Amino acid sequence: MSNHSVVIVTGVSSGIGRVAAKKFAQQGCQVFGTVRNIAKAQPIVGVELVEMDVCDDASVKSAIDSIIGRANRIDVLVNNAGFMMVGAVEETSIDEVASLFNTNVLGILRTTKAVLPHMRAQGAGRIVNVSSVLGFLPAPYAGIYAASKHAVEGLSESLDHEVRQFGIRVVLVEPGFTKTNIDNNAPQATSLISAYDDERGRVSQAVQKNLSKAPEPDDVANTIVEAALGKWKMRRPPKGQAALLSKLRRFMPASLVDSSLRKDFGLG
């Protein structure tokens, strides 16, 4: 794909999305970055900010129509917007689950459905969905987030089969622990159950320990750019921990993966 591609990156206010948008601009792409509130957003050199709420059908349609009006095409969509929630599955309310899925899964569906007619008409396109290692691994006390990323993985693989006839391909980028707001500021479920306090606390400590050693978003952003502009490959875990976990999940016996995961999360 050309370095002069028209690229949309959702959720560029901070973290992975912001760094990825910068890197696309540095590659010479025409970049549109979406934010929920443009009045509060900090500018990004080489990136045109567009107001869009991935949870609102009308907002998504308006933003995509605006981009088409200015650029006449969309070559790459990077679905990055999302958030994490901490809590045992039993502790998480149905409303909280619905809110998380509305952003992490339905948000991707809304933006994808909005760009696909344009990509089909031009006979080419690349959709990059930012998943997580939790799209192929479980995570205690982040089960709803993991479920949303598992959903993104299934949706992405199925979609790729459907749209490749039109010259469009779908890619998954699967980061591990990264120093971003999504990890550091993840909200907790509001109705905590005391029976889970001990384990939840130990998992939280293990997560914070991993985050203290986690890399900045640059490696993930580089992987997103390569996934968008480079040769197609369905899954692209960034180098380091994510790539290692991907290999372990594929080749290690399930019982060893289970015990190793419990140890890493402080569950013994």
Side-chain angles (χ1 to χ4, degrees), residues 14-75:
S14 63
I16 292 169
R18 190 172 184 85
V19 178
K22 290 179 183 177
K23 289 182 180 292
F24 278 115
Q26 291 164 0
Q27 290 287 323
C29 298
Q30 183 177 3
V31 186
F32 296 89
T34 77
V35 294
R36 282 185 295 178
N37 188 332
I38 202 163
K40 296 180 178 179
Q42 295 297 313
I44 305 172
V45 175
V47 178
E48 187 168 350
L49 298 182
V50 178
E51 191 165 278
M52 184 175 81
D53 181 354
V54 299
C55 295
D56 184 272
D57 291 0
S59 176
V60 170
K61 182 180 185 305
S62 176
I64 298 304
D65 287 348
S66 173
I67 291 168
I68 287 292
R70 280 176 272 183
N72 297 316
R73 65 184 292 117
I74 296 170
D75 298 297

Side-chain angles (χ1 to χ4, degrees), residues 2-265:
S2 168
N3 282 15
H4 301 293
S5 299
V6 176
V7 178
I8 302 173
V9 183
T10 69
V12 302
S13 295
S14 63
I16 292 169
R18 190 172 184 85
V19 178
K22 290 179 183 177
K23 289 182 180 292
F24 278 115
Q26 291 164 0
Q27 290 287 323
C29 298
Q30 183 177 3
V31 186
F32 296 89
T34 77
V35 294
R36 282 185 295 178
N37 188 332
I38 202 163
K40 296 180 178 179
Q42 295 297 313
I44 305 172
V45 175
V47 178
E48 187 168 350
L49 298 182
V50 178
E51 191 165 278
M52 184 175 81
D53 181 354
V54 299
C55 295
D56 184 272
D57 291 0
S59 176
V60 170
K61 182 180 185 305
S62 176
I64 298 304
D65 287 348
S66 173
I67 291 168
I68 287 292
R70 280 176 272 183
N72 297 316
R73 65 184 292 117
I74 296 170
D75 298 297
V76 175
L77 168 65
V78 178
N79 281 310
N80 165 74
F83 73 95
M84 187 175 184
M85 179 169 290
V86 177
V89 170
E90 185 185 357
E91 296 175 317
T92 312
S93 73
I94 297 301
D95 285 346
E96 288 170 330
V97 174
S99 175
L100 187 142
F101 266 71
N102 194 24
T103 298
N104 291 9
V105 183
L106 298 186
I108 286 177
L109 190 56
R110 289 185 185 96
T111 55
T112 298
K113 286 169 68 67
V115 305
L116 276 175
H118 305 289
M119 289 184 173
R120 281 193 290 104
Q122 66 201 27
R126 185 74 58 89
I127 297 171
V128 180
N129 290 333
V130 179
S131 177
S132 165
V133 294
L134 301 191
F136 58 82
L137 283 171
Y141 300 92
I144 304 305
Y145 178 75
S148 76
K149 292 304 184 180
H150 274 68
V152 169
E153 301 248 335
L155 173 66
S156 300
E157 285 198 88
S158 295
L159 179 64
D160 181 69
H161 284 289
E162 296 168 0
V163 299
R164 69 177 69 174
Q165 63 180 310
F166 307 117
I168 305 165
R169 300 307 299 262
V170 183
V171 185
L172 286 160
V173 173
E174 301 166 317
F177 285 110
T178 309
K179 286 182 180 175
T180 68
N181 289 339
I182 192 172
D183 288 325
N184 285 315
N185 300 328
Q188 281 199 336
T190 55
S191 299
L192 300 181
I193 299 170
S194 60
Y196 291 106
D197 285 352
D198 178 60
E199 275 202 351
R200 191 188 331 99
R202 281 186 276 142
V203 169
S204 178
Q205 288 178 355
V207 168
Q208 291 304 315
K209 181 179 179 180
N210 276 285
L211 283 174
S212 70
K213 301 181 293 183
E216 298 293 335
D218 291 77
D219 285 345
V220 181
N222 287 332
T223 303
I224 289 171
V225 173
E226 178 60 26
L229 304 180
K231 185 177 180 181
W232 177 84
K233 183 181 177 183
M234 185 73 236
R235 282 180 165 79
R236 286 184 177 269
K239 64 182 180 181
Q241 180 202 45
L244 176 61
L245 289 172
S246 179
K247 290 177 182 177
L248 292 177
R249 182 60 160 171
R250 290 173 59 193
F251 299 117
M252 278 183 66
S255 60
L256 291 180
V257 173
D258 181 84
S259 60
S260 176
L261 184 144
R262 288 185 62 79
K263 182 178 179 180
D264 286 346
F265 279 104

